[in-house]
Amino acid sequence: MADFVLLDRDGRVLIVTVNNPPVNALGPGVPEAIVAAVNQGAADDGIDAIVVIGGGRTFIAGFDIKEFAKIVSGERQGVDLARQVLAIENCPKPVVMALHGTALGGGLEVAMGGHHRVAVASAQMGQPEVKLGLIPGGGGTQRLPRLCGLETALEMCVFGDPLAAPEAMRRGLIDKIIEGDLLKGAVEYARTASVRRTRDLRDKLPHGTADLSDLVELWKAKAAERMRGQEAPLAAIDAVTAAAWMPFAQGIEYERELFERLLHGEQSKALIHVFFGERTVAKIPNLAPDVQPLAINRAAVVGAGTMGGGIAMIYANAGIPVLVKDTSAEALERGLATIRKNYESAVKKGRLDQAGLEQRMALIAPTLTYDGFERADIITEAVFEDLELKKRVFAELDAVARPGAILATNTSTLDVDVIANATQRPEWVAGHHYFSPANVMRLMEVVRAKSTSDVVMASSMELARRLKKVAVVSGNGMGFIGNRMFVPYRQQAVMLVEEGAAPEEVDRALTDFGWAMGPLAVGDLSGIDVFWLVRQSWKHLEKPGVRYAEAEELLYQRGRYGQKTGAGWYRYDAQRKPHPDPEVLQMVRGWASGAGIAQRTFTEEEILDRCMGALVEEGKKVLAEGIALRPVDIDMVYVCGYGFPSWRGGPMFWAGIT
Ligand code: NAD
């Protein structure tokens, strides 16, 4: 146990250094060791005060997430952090917590058990449990409001976003920012500190009989908007507001009750699956063990359209200089203007400052020629979806790229092997399939063609990590993982309308389930013409005697391409808000009667069964064919690229296939 903390003293101050590298996670034995060290300080007549600090690069970064899974499976007993934090708080001598790096989750709860908190300005603190479908379980929901008031505690526990130290100081979470050496500053602070237990503070809480219903309703509305369908944010609201009217001990019990219920619930299991899934998919199991990813310092993109522009932004955001080539000055200008507009909107939203914008723009160099491409470590092609064009572009790239440069295609539907074979070096070619808008969507399918080398695969995965993407390996099959499964899923949605359901009923069933958008609204967003084209390229795969969805053809013929033409499955007003359109129903009903398709009504459950059933069935085929390596790869594709609710863990996890 002693290993988890190192003890030292500076005069009459005991220094407890938490020692569980790399991030001092609260694995079994760590909180116990801190408590034992604090008790030792309390019993020592030569000690007046205690400083707790993290060894290495951070304070306590959080509870060890692997342990949650063990608790749920019964492998270990429940979390006892609340009792341990209480034991720290009970210390009769002042305890000062010294924070650097991150104090998250259980780490912040331990910090709040101290009598004072000091931090370096770069430290971050937060209660991100909600991102795992949980609430703080170590007293966080009761101590945070006592230190910072209900609003801040709600913000931190409901959304899970961290605060930087200066802001945390403003809100009362920490007492002092230490310039210079943290330990020295903390020890000095401790010499004059007094015992001040967080649990005894009340001045930031409303009166015990205050009416909190407006506050509760406001936060429920915020949670519904940003975290629709999730249980943990609502539990966080309950627990935090209880701090205002329950005595502390009762509040702790209430928090425990809610925490336990969430921990054993489906949503938390799903979110923990997604958390580990992100790490699992980053590793390719069948790669030669000695391959080292290549250094990538310069990039180039061919095509400055929707995707090419977005891809250039991704590189610039990661600080990698990128050339962008198109065929005309107008196309380049348009592309660059869109990029600038996107950055300007990030500045307006406060996500980027003006200097950051200029820095990024300076990294993006437009060009009409291949000059400079010979120095690129990676070239990504994003020209029109036209096989002959792509083959030509790859032959050109083969002539200009240096040996050892990665050549990537962003094709959505074409055969990467055929594209690779347009070069003399197919082993250097892979698919890098980004999702629109590329600078926003986290997913990237890395397509392994037959000839793609291990070094290109390993480098692509490492690159994706740098670009802050979740990369999932996909085999080179039609539609890769995501679009391949999306086609039958959308087919069902369209067929349901053909059989009598209204478009908004179909979409509502799926958004009620948790999808960010319904499948028909997705058609309107991406363009009915785009889906029509995809269908044409897949038509040869359609089997005789099988019914396929046809109603979208009707929309296409009438120029109802979706949002861009003001009408698709829905009619759009000037704000692009969708409205049900009786004309669509009339059109589809007329066609269905001619085609002899029986009409009826559908329950939400039936709609869900049909659409989700098709999605999962195709997922099974994708697995059987080895297009996806593991069920979790499919889950991550859907959670990170298709707006599938993370709290359901992905379609395969939801279907019990893991
Ligand atoms: P786009 O029409 O917006 O852009 C294509 C750009 O390529 C245009 O600016 C065009 O001028 C340029 N171009 C054409 N020929 C060129 C050449 N020889 N050299 C240089 N530039 C050339 O198309 P997009 O939506 O950006 O799609 C590009 C690729 O990305 C396609 O393969 C598409 O299937 C794929 N993709 C698109 C999406 C999407 O949602 N739009 C998503 C994933 C993948």
Side-chain angles (χ1 to χ4, degrees), residues 301-311 324-328 330-332 334-335 367-368 370 381-386 389-390 392-393 396 409-414 419 432-438 480 483 526 530 534:
V301 175
V302 190
T306 310
M307 296 308 286
I311 296 166
V324 187
K325 180 186 181 295
D326 210 300
T327 47
S328 70
E330 297 76 57
L332 270 183
R334 207 177 325 118
T367 172
L368 289 170
Y370 283 120
E381 166 278 313
V383 302
F384 303 130
E385 187 76 340
D386 171 334
L389 173 64
K390 289 199 195 264
R392 205 169 67 232
V393 168
E396 289 166 6
T409 171
N410 185 44
T411 180
S412 320
T413 55
L414 302 173
I419 295 171
H432 282 188
H433 187 218
Y434 295 91
F435 290 74
S436 183
F480 312 126
N483 287 346
S526 306
V530 173
V534 170

Side-chain angles (χ1 to χ4, degrees), residues 228-229 485-497 501-523 570 602-616 638 642-648 651 654:
R228 186 166 49 90
M485 290 170 61
F486 207 63
V487 168
Y489 164 74
R490 276 198 87 249
Q491 283 259 346
Q492 286 303 324
V494 176
M495 284 199 251
L496 283 158
V497 180
E504 61 276 16
E505 280 174 340
V506 175
D507 278 349
R508 197 181 322 114
L510 291 147
T511 52
D512 281 355
F513 174 83
W515 286 84
M517 277 180 99
L520 301 172
V522 168
Y570 299 90
F602 289 90
T603 64
E604 203 165 82
E605 207 179 321
E606 282 173 312
I607 295 171
L608 205 60
D609 272 0
R610 289 262 301 258
C611 294
M612 289 298 296
L615 186 72
V616 171
Y638 268 82
Y642 289 80
F644 188 92
S646 54
W647 46 273
R648 291 198 192 268
W654 173 79

